[in-house]
Amino acid sequence: MTTSTTRSRQNTRARLLDAAAEVFAEVGLEGATVEAVCERAGFTRGAFYSNFDSKDELFLMLAATVGEQRVAAVRERISALAGAGAMDDCDPADLVQQVMDSGADDRLSVMLLSEIRIRALRDDEFAAAYMRQERELLASIAEIIRELVEGGSFTLRVDATTAARLLMTVWEGMAVRGAMSGDGSDQLRHAASVELGRLVELMRA
């Protein structure tokens, strides 16, 4: 496969994912048909099925993209704080709040992940694929925590993987509650980040 062909395929997949996010925002997961996504992206069904086996695969990849953006935003914020010298003697709870307040999560991502989990509860095969994806996200978050601990930012009473799982659980629970309460994206992120700061205080050694 040539470089130009690979780039074209990547662009097609990106446009389909963007279209899927737009259609999902309007009609939800069940209402976001392959036809609707193709029409929004300006592609044929053939183009869709040359990139994705099914709508399930498309939305799992969209969920993965949301997770990757979340991790990338966290890493970027930590790098910025480190570059500014703000990591030195920083209170761990305050550090977590600063990092998560600048995250990429919004109401749409919360709704998407909530509907995908409902889909997973009803379909064992889909659930297995989603859980593999979630384990990858967990490993990425655990690696960030491990780097912070090894760098001397703080110490924890639990291992990095356990800390990552607890942080993910609290974050997602608070985000869902914020979305149900009608909070905007900024409010949603801030409320969740405050709770994460409290959790970090409880986990500190």
Side-chain angles (χ1 to χ4, degrees), residues 80-152:
L81 290 171
M87 300 285 285
D88 301 333
D89 300 318
C90 182
D91 177 73
D94 183 57
L95 171 63
V96 168
Q97 289 182 45
Q98 288 187 59
V99 169
M100 300 311 296
D101 272 350
S102 61
D105 283 335
D106 55 21
R107 284 178 56 83
L108 178 60
S109 67
V110 173
M111 291 168 59
L112 172 65
L113 292 176
S114 295
E115 290 204 30
I116 281 180
R117 290 191 183 102
I118 292 172
R119 175 82 174 84
L121 286 170
R122 295 172 176 158
D123 185 313
D124 290 344
E125 185 176 345
F126 187 88
Y130 176 72
M131 291 305 294
R132 285 194 298 271
Q133 182 175 291
E134 188 166 85
R135 283 193 292 272
E136 292 176 3
L137 178 61
L138 178 67
S140 296
I141 296 173
E143 181 59 27
I144 292 173
I145 294 171
R146 196 172 293 113
E147 291 170 3
L148 289 171
V149 170
E150 291 175 354

Side-chain angles (χ1 to χ4, degrees), residues 10 57 128 195:
Q10 290 173 341
E57 183 184 2
E195 290 303 312

